[in-house]
């Protein structure tokens, strides 16, 4: 972001927040002193658990200063204090993105990032010089890439990927650059910067900071307004509507729509200002991995239902640089691919858009979306109406994610093994089966082949109808090929392999990991042919009731 734009955005943000809270106070729906008191309460409580002493002391001084001044402040002075708090939050959020640094990173970035993801040894680097590695063999960018580039020319884009791993931020930022697009802004949790190497790339590929430990409603309001203003200033954004990484490993079905609603807000404000290109587009993207760096921690968190009490995982595999390098090295050695699939764009109301950026109704006719936001002949926001539009966008995104998910050998192999385990232990609670194992646990290799063959028939038929995408081996290989590739991947990175072959039998050596990787196939109704119940509830946030 250009420095002059950042200053303009931060100034406008403060002005808007003060105006909105002042108007709400005039209507009697909000009290300014209560807004400030809430902020002070939430922040002082949070700071009790702040480990960095200098940060804690600096923040405590700020908030105690606000608290002291608030007690004797007039109504106008209290609004000024709201402005100070908004500026305090917004400057923390805005970060230190520098276009000059971005250009330097991207010029050297491909070989540097490739070496990072491929974990090249010094010896291999010397042997291959001057031919530096590329990401061509690791990352596949596919789908509606030309459509995305066209929408970028016609308006402002909100790119909304699935969220699988903390690696996503780097992969998406790199994919955007690879498609020839300027840097997209995106919010990244402060915990993601704990890895100094990857944190450096994130800061200089467009990240701004989001502190999910902050529960102050005013902070969330500042964050949303910041995103809205960046869209109005024609900065494309990346939002992860799943919120945090999906703990179960499944495709997200229940999305957090708060930031998505900024698309309508930005569009309305653009119309009010009479901008030549007021349109905002929402473009889905699906990330698909053969292996997931943090799978062990994520599925353990899901199974313990710790997500309710431990919203942010700060000590997972991503925070350990050596685990990241080990993970990347193994992917490179197995010629494994990460797929980044771009879907068709939508307008902020859930309508598909064509390559000219025009919105289409269900019959394919172009519609004037400015009519959607008119109140008394003027463009205006309306909370209830706009929330309904945003829910429709969320529904369309889920459909796109399912269709553009690339099924990998690890997913199919895990699904087949876990399905056989569930059949061999009928009536057994799924969590108990995963945690303790069943009376009959290992499965015949031939039975796995037969189950994989059945799955391949189902999945290939679904792919032929546009309902899913398939990785190369899943698309063209035999059942033996898929199982061999799946087991090979399971064996190379995780602390313990998800499954191990011994002679003509397969043993599930980490049943939780099998559950994690098979969950990527939840939502495709494969259980109809498997004769079992779904593993996950329809929202993919919890277990299916009565799953056995």
């Amino acid at each position: 972001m250009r420095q002059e734009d950042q200053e303009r955005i931060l100034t406008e943000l403060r002005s808007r927040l003060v105006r909105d809270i002042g108007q709400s106070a005039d209507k009697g729906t909000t009290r300014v002193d209560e807004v400030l008191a809430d902020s002070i309460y939430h922040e002082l409580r949070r700071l009790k658990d702040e480990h960095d002493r200098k940060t804690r002391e600096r923040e405590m001084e700020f908030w105690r200063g606000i608290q002291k001044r608030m007690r004797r402040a007039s109504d106008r002075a209290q609004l000024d204090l709201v402005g100070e708090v908004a500026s305090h939050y917004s400057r923390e959020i805005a970060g230190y993105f520098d276009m000059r640094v971005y250009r330097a990173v991207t010029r050297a970035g491909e070989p540097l990032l490739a070496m990072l993801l491929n974990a090249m040894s010094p010896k291999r680097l010397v042997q291959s010089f001057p031919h530096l590695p590329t990401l061509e063999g690791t990352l596949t960018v596919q789908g509606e890439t030309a459509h995305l580039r066209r929408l970028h020319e016609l308006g402002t884009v909100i790119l909304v990927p699935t969220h699988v791993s903390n690696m996503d931020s780097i992969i998406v930022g790199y994919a955007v650059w690879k498609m020839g697009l300027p840097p997209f802004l995106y919010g990244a949790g402060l915990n993601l910067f704990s890895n100094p190497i990857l944190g450096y790339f994130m800061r200089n590929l467009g990240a701004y900071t989001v502190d999910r430990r902050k529960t102050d409603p005013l902070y969330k309001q500042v964050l949303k307004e910041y995103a809205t203003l960046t869209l109005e200033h024609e900065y494309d954004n990346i939002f992860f509507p799943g919120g945090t990484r999906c703990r179960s490993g499944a495709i997200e079905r229940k999305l957090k729509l708060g930031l998505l609603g900024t698309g309508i807000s930005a569009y309305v404000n653009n119309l009010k200002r009479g901008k030549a290109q007021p349109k905002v587009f929402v473009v889905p993207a699906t990330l698909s991995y053969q292996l997931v760096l943090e799978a062990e921690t994520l599925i353990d968190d899901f199974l313990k239902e710790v997500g309710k009490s431990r919203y942010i995982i700060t000590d997972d595999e991503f925070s350990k640089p050596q685990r990241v390098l080990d993970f990347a090295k193994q992917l490179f050695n197995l010629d494994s691919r990460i797929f980044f699939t771009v879907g068709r764009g939508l307008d902020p109301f859930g309508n598909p858009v064509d390559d000219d950026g025009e919105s289409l109704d269900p019959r394919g006719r172009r519609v004037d979306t400015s009519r959607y936001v008119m109140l008394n002949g003027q463009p205006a926001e309306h909370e209830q109406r706009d929330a309904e539009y945003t829910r429709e966008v969320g529904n369309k995104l889920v459909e796109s994610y399912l269709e553009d998910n690339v099924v990998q050998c690890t997913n199919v192999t895990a699904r087949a093994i876990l399905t056989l385990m569930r059949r061999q232990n009928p009536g057994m609670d799924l969590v108990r089966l995963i945690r303790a194992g069943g009376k009959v646990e290992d499965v015949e290799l031939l039975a796995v082949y037969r189950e994989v063959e059945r799955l391949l028939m189902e999945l290939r038929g679904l792919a032929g109808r546009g309902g899913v995408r398939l990785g190369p081996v899943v698309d063209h290989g035999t059942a033996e090929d898929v199982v061999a590739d799946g087991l090979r991947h399971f064996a190379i990175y995780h602390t313990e392999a998800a499954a191990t072959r011994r002679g003509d039998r397969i043993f599930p050596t980490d049943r939780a990991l099998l559950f994690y990787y098979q969950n990527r196939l939840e939502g495709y109704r494969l259980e109809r042919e498997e004769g079992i119940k779904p593993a996950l509830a329809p929202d993919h946030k919890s277990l299916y009731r009565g799953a056995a």
Side-chain angles (χ1 to χ4, degrees), residues 313-324:
I313 301 174
T314 59
D315 54 352
D316 61 17
E317 293 83 346
F318 186 82
S319 65
K320 305 173 180 68
Q322 187 57 50
R323 289 297 300 270
V324 177

Side-chain angles (χ1 to χ4, degrees), residues 166-370:
N166 281 334
M167 299 285 290
D168 296 348
S169 298
I170 303 159
I171 296 297
V172 174
Y174 178 79
V176 165
W177 175 74
K178 191 69 175 174
M179 285 185 281
L181 294 167
F184 281 37
L185 302 183
Y186 64 97
L190 283 176
N191 58 303
L192 301 190
F193 296 92
S194 60
N195 183 315
I197 301 173
L198 300 180
Y200 174 78
F201 277 95
M202 289 168 58
R203 286 186 186 279
N204 293 291
L205 287 174
Y208 58 86
T209 59
V210 178
D211 191 345
R212 294 192 179 95
R213 299 170 302 171
K214 285 186 166 68
T215 55
D216 177 16
L218 183 57
Y219 175 79
K220 296 176 182 179
Q221 194 174 349
V222 169
L223 181 63
K224 188 173 181 179
E225 198 63 55
Y226 179 79
T228 302
L229 279 160
T230 61
L231 292 171
E232 290 176 38
H233 283 75
E234 301 177 5
Y235 286 97
D236 301 317
N237 269 253
I238 298 167
F239 299 158
F240 290 103
T244 59
R245 296 160 293 173
C246 184
R247 303 298 202 254
S248 68
I251 293 287
E252 295 99 322
R253 298 293 294 271
K254 187 176 181 180
L255 306 182
K256 295 184 177 180
L257 304 177
L259 281 180
L260 271 180
T262 61
I264 295 178
S265 299
Y267 178 59
V268 168
N269 289 333
N270 287 344
L271 290 175
K272 287 179 179 178
R273 293 179 177 180
K275 288 188 66 172
Q277 291 187 317
K279 292 185 177 181
V280 177
F281 305 106
V282 180
V283 179
T286 306
L287 281 152
S288 307
Y289 294 79
Q290 181 86 301
L291 288 176
V292 175
L293 172 66
E294 314 97 309
E296 292 167 89
T297 299
L298 292 173
I299 195 60
D300 188 55
D301 201 52
F302 177 81
L303 290 171
K304 290 179 179 177
E305 296 186 329
V306 174
K308 296 175 183 176
S309 58
R310 194 175 96 173
Y311 181 65
I312 303 169
I313 301 174
T314 59
D315 54 352
D316 61 17
E317 293 83 346
F318 186 82
S319 65
K320 305 173 180 68
Q322 187 57 50
R323 289 297 300 270
V324 177
L325 292 174
D326 289 344
F327 170 77
K329 180 179 180 181
Q330 299 296 355
L331 289 187
F332 177 68
N333 288 340
L334 275 188
D335 191 28
S336 193
R337 281 184 174 268
I338 300 168
F339 291 90
F340 180 81
T341 307
V342 179
R344 295 289 295 181
L346 306 164
D347 64 27
F349 313 100
N351 298 309
V353 295
D354 60 22
D355 288 340
D356 294 322
E358 297 294 334
S359 299
L360 306 174
D361 70 10
R363 296 184 180 181
R365 299 172 298 187
R366 292 184 172 182
V367 294
D368 177 10
T369 53
S370 65

Side-chain angles (χ1 to χ4, degrees), residues 82-123:
V82 167
E84 283 190 40
V85 172
S87 293
H88 179 75
Y89 280 150
S90 63
R91 291 199 175 277
E92 175 193 297
I93 290 166
Y96 302 99
F97 178 76
D98 188 320
M99 180 60 76
R100 294 169 298 179
V101 178
Y102 172 80
R103 291 194 183 107
V105 168
T106 50
R107 275 198 296 270
E110 182 160 12
L112 284 175
L113 192 52
M115 282 187 281
L116 176 66
L117 291 178
N118 295 334
M120 289 196 69
S121 67
K123 181 179 178 181

Side-chain angles (χ1 to χ4, degrees), residues 495-516:
T495 304
E496 189 168 23
T500 306
R501 177 180 174 179
R502 300 174 195 163
D504 290 332
R505 302 195 72 80
I506 291 181
F507 292 79
T509 40
D510 191 324
R511 294 176 296 274
L513 276 176
L514 283 177
F515 181 56
Y516 178 87

